[in-house]
Amino acid sequence: MFKAEVYTKRRTRLHGIMKTGLALFPGNSEAPMNYPANTYHFRQDSDFLYFFGLDLPGFAGLMDFDSGKDWIFGNDADMDDIIWMGPQPSVRELAAKCGITNTAPISKLEEKVKDAISKRRKVHFLPPYRGENKMILGSLLNENPCKIKTLASVNLIKAVISMRSIKEKVEIEEIEKAVDIAYDMHVTAMKMCRQGTSEQDIFGAIEGIALAKGGGTAFPIILSVNGQTLHNHAHGNILKKGRMMVTDAGAETNLHYSSDITRTTPVGGKFNQKQKEIYEIVLKANTEAIKSTGPGKSNRDIHLMACRIIAAGMKDIGMMKGDVEEAVVKGAHALFMPHGLGHMMGLDVHDMEALGENYIGYSDDVERSDQFGLAFLRFALPYKPGHVFTIEPGCYFIPELINQWKSEGKFKEFINYSMIDKYMSIGGIRIEDNVLITEKGHKVLGKPIPKTVKEVEAVCS
Ligand code: GLY
């Protein structure tokens, strides 16, 4: 945990924004895997972590904006717990670690909430994403658990987003630690990327690094020679020369801050001509996009700039044609880059996504596009100092999408379909870094991870 003052300060700020009512923050509970006592790796709710810091199942936090009091609800360990889990700190001791003196058993939470409801006080809560917390909120608030998400407090959502979006110094230090763990994961993957090695071997080795050096991976590792499938979690292939391996992997620190890095490595460690051509295009989109980030610039503008770089590069090698600007405005480039440039990152790898993507990345003035490709941009607003983003352009050869567009003659004025066949074995290439927006510009976080052709080939050799 951070020092107690960090959590106290955050809660004080939220009190200042919300002013009235109560906010209820149910922490996560253990989630059974195949029978109740055999549980998944425990992951605390990120909003609970942000305001209360306690990384244990079975707690709830409550802030009373009228009285100014904060509460931790939870049960002290009984003898059965101690026999199986060892001695545990009391709820009072745990609450003190996040600067809270008011504690009560979890059974008292219902009393507190029912009392507030009877007095017609507003009970704010964030959208729950786990079944158990939907049931708990439904029961406490006397609402249908299946619909409870729709009743979440928009004021609380916006207040929390305004705070969590701007990273504190201690948070940036954590994210840099997470990127440094990712450095070890990615360099290991590059070194193992050899003909005859199995994807599963590499996946296991780098997952082990995330567990050995931090809190495990920030999301299920994407590692495949079929990088054209954007979130490929199958690791069943044996590496063969001529293919490229996409590794999209990041770690959590022990305090659960994330990294999210992608590198693409040619099997055997040497790029062939075609691989190099496409790699250099994606690399240029990555480095130019990073160079252009800074306060006031919008992520949508930088996304479109990266798309123009991809389209211009594809035109240079003859795979696209016509006016680059027009091709991007119309969305023709999305055949090759059908996703957004990146997303916010912090306690969640897609930071705060549970609170609603449009609350985070869009506003009354900036609406989400419904154009294929651009519709997947998670954040379109201007950057502010303290924002942490991924910058992750890519170029993919997705057979099903190419065949569909080709058969429809879609964008044939911009795409040379006859050229694509020669590049299909590349699969996909994505290059991703994690960037902090500063007062003056930006900073790429963590130890630089090899990414130029020369650097990747040097590591692999
Ligand atoms: N790195 C995985 C994702 O951004 O979805």
Side-chain angles (χ1 to χ4, degrees):
M1 279 177 74
F2 296 126
K3 287 187 183 140
E5 301 91 86
V6 170
Y7 304 101
T8 304
K9 214 164 136 190
R10 288 173 181 172
R11 291 193 305 271
T12 304
R13 271 196 66 202
L14 190 62
H15 277 269
I17 301 172
M18 295 298 293
K19 296 191 173 63
T20 185
L22 302 172
L24 182 53
F25 292 88
N28 281 339
S29 37
E30 296 279 22
M33 211 159 40
N34 50 341
Y35 54 91
N38 204 25
T39 56
Y40 288 105
H41 162 74
F42 174 70
R43 175 56 158 84
Q44 184 56 287
D45 173 72
S46 295
D47 295 301
F48 187 86
L49 277 177
Y50 186 79
F51 289 108
F52 303 96
L54 303 179
D55 194 8
L56 293 162
F59 290 89
L62 188 135
M63 296 186 210
D64 185 331
F65 301 124
D66 295 295
S67 72
K69 283 191 182 156
D70 298 333
W71 292 78
I72 287 288
F73 291 86
N75 294 338
D76 282 325
D78 62 18
M79 188 49 74
D80 278 356
D81 295 327
I82 292 167
I83 289 166
W84 290 96
M85 298 153 58
Q88 302 294 315
S90 67
V91 175
R92 186 159 284 280
E93 286 163 335
L94 288 169
K97 287 179 193 262
C98 63
I100 290 183
T101 51
N102 304 302
T103 62
I106 203 85
S107 58
K108 295 279 177 204
L109 182 59
E110 185 169 0
E111 234 170 74
K112 185 97 184 152
V113 173
K114 298 267 184 259
D115 176 64
I117 292 171
S118 73
K119 292 179 178 144
R120 299 187 176 281
R121 297 181 64 204
K122 172 84 181 155
V123 181
H124 301 269
F125 60 92
L126 297 170
Y129 51 91
R130 285 201 184 184
E132 189 109 4
N133 280 344
K134 289 181 187 176
M135 302 289 281
I136 289 171
L137 285 169
S139 155
L140 286 172
L141 301 168
N142 212 14
E143 297 285 355
N144 179 348
C146 299
K147 300 212 173 116
I148 194 85
K149 198 175 154 185
T150 62
L151 304 175
S153 160
V154 174
N155 284 349
L156 184 62
I157 291 171
K158 289 186 174 171
V160 170
I161 290 174
S162 73
M163 292 180 63
R164 282 184 56 189
S165 294
I166 309 299
K167 270 53 185 185
E168 300 156 6
K169 188 165 172 281
V170 286
E171 295 184 287
I172 294 161
E173 285 164 6
E174 281 295 310
I175 295 171
E176 293 223 81
K177 278 188 216 163
V179 179
D180 288 346
I181 301 171
Y183 173 97
D184 288 342
M185 295 164 74
H186 282 275
V187 167
T188 300
M190 286 177 197
K191 288 181 178 168
M192 290 180 77
C193 184
R194 294 182 173 277
Q195 160 110 345
T197 306
S198 76
E199 290 171 349
Q200 191 170 347
D201 266 353
I202 308 175
F203 159 77
I206 69 173
E207 176 113 11
I209 293 171
L211 286 164
K213 300 197 176 231
T217 54
F219 55 95
I221 290 172
I222 296 161
L223 185 149
S224 180
V225 290
N226 289 319
Q228 73 278 8
T229 301
L230 303 184
H231 279 180
N232 200 334
H233 298 300
H235 313 294
N237 296 301
I238 303 293
L239 305 190
K240 291 201 182 82
K241 247 192 154 131
R243 304 301 307 277
M244 301 200 77
M245 182 180 80
V246 168
T247 308
D248 182 343
E252 280 195 357
T253 61
N254 288 324
L255 298 194
H256 301 292
Y257 284 85
S258 323
S259 57
D260 182 0
I261 300 286
T262 307
R263 290 293 183 264
T264 308
T265 313
V267 175
K270 276 253 168 238
F271 289 80
N272 66 32
Q273 186 52 36
K274 288 207 165 40
Q275 291 171 341
K276 202 183 289 185
E277 282 170 21
I278 306 294
Y279 191 89
E280 290 290 6
I281 296 169
V282 179
L283 183 64
K284 185 170 177 198
N286 166 289
T287 51
E288 292 297 317
I290 291 173
K291 261 193 234 159
S292 305
T293 55
K297 308 262 185 72
S298 99
N299 194 47
R300 168 134 64 192
D301 289 347
I302 308 292
H303 165 85
L304 291 171
M305 189 197 85
C307 294
R308 285 192 295 273
I309 293 172
I310 300 278
M314 297 305 256
K315 184 177 169 181
D316 286 346
I317 59 174
M319 223 174 318
M320 287 188 77
K321 56 189 172 180
D323 184 67
V324 165
E325 177 83 36
E326 193 189 341
V328 170
V329 168
K330 292 190 169 158
H333 67 285
L335 179 64
F336 302 111
M337 182 173 149
H339 61 70
L341 184 64
H343 49 82
M344 276 206 183
M345 206 187 70
L347 270 170
D348 304 302
V349 68
H350 288 186
D351 210 21
M352 303 171 283
E353 204 161 281
L355 303 184
E357 230 175 69
N358 285 352
Y359 286 122
I360 302 162
Y362 291 84
S363 67
D364 292 342
D365 303 327
V366 183
E367 270 185 38
R368 191 186 274 264
S369 162
D370 58 8
Q371 185 186 76
F372 176 74
L374 191 54
F376 299 126
L377 184 67
R378 298 180 197 278
F379 191 97
L381 300 174
Y383 301 120
K384 291 184 185 162
H387 280 169
V388 173
F389 275 93
T390 66
I391 302 277
E392 48 179 313
C395 184
Y396 311 89
F397 299 91
I398 305 169
E400 296 79 1
L401 184 64
I402 292 166
N403 290 339
Q404 189 190 73
W405 282 30
K406 190 175 171 183
S407 69
E408 292 169 356
K410 189 165 173 171
F411 292 130
K412 59 182 190 306
E413 65 281 27
F414 296 117
I415 295 162
N416 273 327
Y417 286 101
S418 59
M419 279 277 294
I420 299 181
D421 275 354
K422 300 189 189 104
Y423 290 83
M424 290 304 287
S425 65
I426 286 177
I429 294 177
R430 181 162 63 251
I431 307 174
E432 175 179 19
D433 291 297
N434 302 153
V435 178
L436 165 71
I437 307 299
T438 61
E439 292 291 339
K440 294 209 173 103
H442 65 266
K443 180 182 179 215
V444 180
L445 294 174
K447 199 153 78 170
I449 301 174
K451 73 175 173 179
T452 63
V453 165
K454 213 168 141 194
E455 287 164 354
V456 172
E457 289 187 347
V459 170
C460 293
S461 71

